Amino acid sequence: MYCCAWKSVRAMTCVSHVFSLGQFIKHLPCAKSHTFLRKSSQFNTHTDVAVSTTTSCFKGLSSNQQTQIHLYVNTLLQWNQKMNLTATKEADEVMERHIEDSLAILPPIKTCYNLHSNDLFDDHINLIDVGSGAGLPGLVLAIACPDWRVTLLESINKRCVFLEHVVNVTGLTNVKIVRGRAEYVHLFIWLLLVSLEQNCGHDVMYREKFDVAIARAVAEMRVLAEYCLPLVRVGGFFVAAKGHDPKEEVQNAENAVRILGGSILQISPVDSHSQYGQRTTVVCRKDHSTPQKYPREAGTPSKLPL
């Protein structure tokens, strides 16, 4: 096993799944019906949706999936002793802060598919986790949704090695690990790094190929949108996992999202089990193709956000 370089992506082999995503979502405690509140903005109308996770989503998983989650958490904590993967040090804290928050992303994805997509929601979603890091939320979603095809995009080699190890330990086979960056790298730099990095945002293998692009990162929405929306097919969704009150950040990102071919559909406050407080899921739809010049050269989206 090895991290994928310029034109080589190693696919993993699949564990048998216990039940479909539709069944999983149906029985999730946090997938109950919600009241929608409409909110107007300058460029579009999006929805604020209250999602309750007062009951553990983890308990809605099968026993096999729960075992895989525990294997992942134990491996994460072991490797965290020798490399910086997460600030959390205890298994209970990882479950509260990371696992439950990752699982809580699933109901908003299904809701947006049902309300705003021309395609019927099914179990065979093609998802990319941009800047996957320790595999959050991508690995958790891959465990919860064994029929999904999940790509973990990570630029740091040692984290890719960790992700490959977790895939082996858990027996996941619906996961592909890609070492690369979402943004465009200038040709001169690319000539130096071609053996190490993939410029996925401009690579025909990845550009506008995914049903869902997701990011659980500290970067602001304008930056995440430029990294993620070029990877999403028209009619697909970009999902950003944010903090407790991202409304101002989301408002500031509306123009950037529009330029990149999208529109903001839904802001879903999620009551987290974590002591770190409420989390929010922001969902954007890809309405038309992203202009070819995006994403821009490495570092530019952060220094000069749209």
Side-chain angles (χ1 to χ4, degrees):
M1 301 290 292
Y2 53 90
C3 265
C4 303
W6 170 236
K7 288 189 178 177
S8 170
V9 175
R10 181 139 182 174
M12 313 294 174
T13 47
C14 251
V15 316
S16 62
H17 49 277
V18 179
F19 48 73
S20 70
L21 172 64
Q23 293 172 306
F24 170 72
I25 292 285
K26 179 179 179 182
H27 292 92
L28 266 179
C30 52
K32 298 178 180 179
S33 60
H34 314 299
T35 301
F36 288 78
L37 300 175
R38 290 291 176 185
K39 177 182 176 182
S40 297
S41 68
Q42 182 179 356
F43 300 108
N44 53 62
T45 300
H46 61 262
T47 307
D48 289 356
V49 185
V51 181
S52 174
T53 58
T54 52
T55 304
S56 170
C57 293
F58 171 77
K59 294 179 180 178
L61 300 176
S62 70
S63 59
N64 182 59
Q65 290 168 321
Q66 290 184 12
T67 298
Q68 289 177 304
I69 291 289
H70 285 307
L71 286 170
Y72 165 60
V73 171
N74 291 338
T75 305
L76 173 63
L77 292 174
Q78 289 171 6
W79 281 58
N80 201 48
Q81 295 176 13
K82 57 184 178 181
M83 59 186 289
N84 184 24
L85 292 168
T86 177
T88 53
K89 306 298 182 183
E90 303 295 333
D92 289 346
E93 188 179 2
V94 173
M95 292 296 297
E96 291 179 352
R97 185 176 182 182
H98 296 309
I99 304 303
E100 292 288 357
D101 284 355
S102 295
L103 291 173
I105 295 171
L106 286 170
I109 293 176
K110 185 193 176 190
T111 297
C112 283
Y113 250 92
N114 289 338
L115 292 177
H116 302 289
S117 177
N118 294 327
D119 301 318
L120 293 176
F121 184 84
D122 60 28
D123 293 339
H124 304 289
I125 299 299
N126 189 14
L127 177 144
I128 185 166
D129 180 12
V130 177
S132 189
L136 297 161
L139 272 173
V140 178
L141 298 182
I143 291 171
C145 308
D147 287 331
W148 285 18
R149 292 166 291 161
V150 176
T151 298
L152 307 179
L153 178 61
E154 174 54 45
S155 63
I156 298 176
N157 183 66
K158 62 183 180 180
R159 290 179 182 169
C160 290
V161 173
F162 165 75
L163 294 173
E164 288 170 351
H165 180 71
V166 172
V167 167
N168 288 330
V169 168
T170 57
L172 287 170
T173 53
N174 58 335
V175 174
K176 179 189 297 183
I177 299 165
V178 178
R179 182 182 177 188
R181 302 181 68 88
E183 70 267 31
Y184 175 83
V185 178
H186 189 274
L187 178 60
F188 176 73
I189 301 176
W190 175 79
L191 289 172
L192 299 176
L193 302 179
V194 63
S195 64
L196 297 177
E197 301 226 341
Q198 299 192 23
N199 312 312
C200 294
H202 289 273
D203 190 324
V204 295
M205 291 178 61
Y206 303 102
R207 186 176 178 87
E208 299 193 337
K209 298 298 185 183
F210 295 91
D211 300 306
V212 178
I214 196 163
R216 188 175 183 259
V218 295
E220 66 165 295
M221 276 288 298
R222 291 181 294 173
V223 177
L224 292 179
E226 188 166 352
Y227 290 159
C228 294
L229 276 170
L231 300 169
V232 179
R233 66 169 177 82
V234 175
F237 299 93
F238 156 47
V239 181
K242 305 299 294 183
H244 73 285
D245 187 16
K247 289 187 177 180
E248 182 177 352
E249 180 182 339
V250 171
Q251 184 177 2
N252 291 338
E254 286 179 333
N255 186 54
V257 170
R258 180 181 58 82
I259 290 171
L260 295 163
S263 58
I264 297 171
L265 288 180
Q266 179 175 300
I267 302 174
S268 301
V270 178
D271 293 329
S272 174
H273 293 263
S274 171
Q275 60 179 315
Y276 298 92
Q278 190 182 72
R279 298 289 186 265
T280 307
T281 300
V282 182
V283 183
C284 304
R285 181 177 58 196
K286 182 74 169 283
D287 300 317
H288 54 81
S289 292
T290 301
Q292 192 61 40
K293 65 180 179 179
Y294 300 110
R296 292 167 292 170
E297 296 180 2
T300 303
S302 299
K303 294 177 182 177
L304 297 171
L306 294 173

